[in-house]
Amino acid sequence: LRAVIEKALVANMTRDTINRAVQRGVGGEDNADLKEVTYEGYGVGGVAVIIETMTDNLNRTVPDVRHCFSKTDGNLGTAGSVAYMFNKRGEITFEDVSLEDKIMDVALEAGAEDIEVSEDEILVITTPETFGDVQDALTAAGLKSNNAEVTMSPSTKALISDIEQAKKIIKMIDMFEDLDDVQNVYTNVEFTDEVMAELEGL
């Protein structure tokens, strides 16, 4: 459950958001003039937040994003205020660590940047540009990943040990996800084991 919660806090796109993006892409919703705009800020406990939006009305989106921050004791920042804490990269994960040698051979041959192996997971790291080639090569080799995405990976984590702060961070993420214009939300939050245990018990 820890992995599920923390993964959800790092990057999320709701089904409704996807459907709206598809509809707009094929000419729906009056074929609105959409712009991709990224906002940055801080949640409680110094948690860095990046919000990627697609909007046809900045006069709606900016107040909505600012409202989500203010309602959860966070702050909307300026461009570049937290982006330096994140690296855009491809991540392909496998839970079957027994496949380490085969995954390593195929991924590196296809252009992967790095491979990290833990007790319960293999993480293949790529650049955004080589992500598709590496994923295709792994799939062609019969290696089925558990998750594959291009994401904003935090270089440093903000450790949260207070359960009330943790609840506000989760509420903040939920509020952002409920906004029509939001496509992705990234944070650098990391919860202590004690906070995770309390969250799991809610």
Side-chain angles (χ1 to χ4, degrees), residues 174-188:
D174 287 342
M175 288 180 68
F176 281 131
E177 289 184 347
D178 285 341
L179 297 180
D180 289 348
D181 299 330
V182 170
Q183 302 295 299
N184 294 294
V185 181
Y186 305 99
T187 81
N188 69 340

Side-chain angles (χ1 to χ4, degrees), residues 5-53:
I5 292 176
E6 293 193 342
K7 191 68 175 178
L9 289 169
V10 170
N12 279 298
M13 180 183 288
T14 66
R15 181 175 299 277
D16 286 345
T17 301
I18 294 172
N19 289 338
R20 281 192 297 273
V22 170
Q23 183 181 15
R24 289 169 176 173
V26 298
E29 299 192 8
D30 299 324
N31 197 23
D33 181 20
L34 296 172
K35 296 179 181 179
E36 293 182 1
V37 184
T38 299
Y39 299 95
E40 304 174 35
Y42 287 94
V44 294
V47 171
V49 187
I50 293 179
I51 306 102
E52 294 179 344
T53 70

Side-chain angles (χ1 to χ4, degrees), residues 79-187:
S81 58
V82 305
Y84 70 93
M85 301 182 192
F86 294 79
N87 299 307
K88 190 171 186 178
R89 69 184 193 179
E91 295 185 352
I92 307 171
T93 57
F94 298 85
E95 293 181 356
D96 189 350
V97 294
S98 68
L99 298 172
E100 176 183 350
D101 291 341
K102 186 175 182 181
I103 290 172
M104 187 171 295
D105 288 343
V106 174
L108 293 177
E109 178 67 24
E113 292 277 289
D114 195 12
I115 296 173
E116 297 177 359
V117 182
S118 62
E119 291 184 359
D120 56 3
E121 184 180 81
I122 299 172
L123 172 62
V124 177
I125 300 170
T126 77
T127 65
E129 294 75 22
T130 60
F131 172 76
D133 291 339
V134 174
Q135 184 181 24
D136 289 346
L138 289 165
T139 301
L143 298 165
K144 184 177 176 60
S145 64
N146 298 97
N147 187 67
E149 63 182 340
V150 175
T151 186
M152 295 292 285
S153 177
S155 55
T156 58
K157 296 291 186 72
L159 188 65
I160 299 298
S161 58
D162 181 271
I163 185 62
E164 294 307 318
Q165 286 187 340
K167 289 178 182 177
K168 284 186 178 179
I169 292 167
I170 291 174
K171 179 182 178 181
M172 176 184 67
I173 299 295
D174 287 342
M175 288 180 68
F176 281 131
E177 289 184 347
D178 285 341
L179 297 180
D180 289 348
D181 299 330
V182 170
Q183 302 295 299
N184 294 294
V185 181
Y186 305 99
T187 81

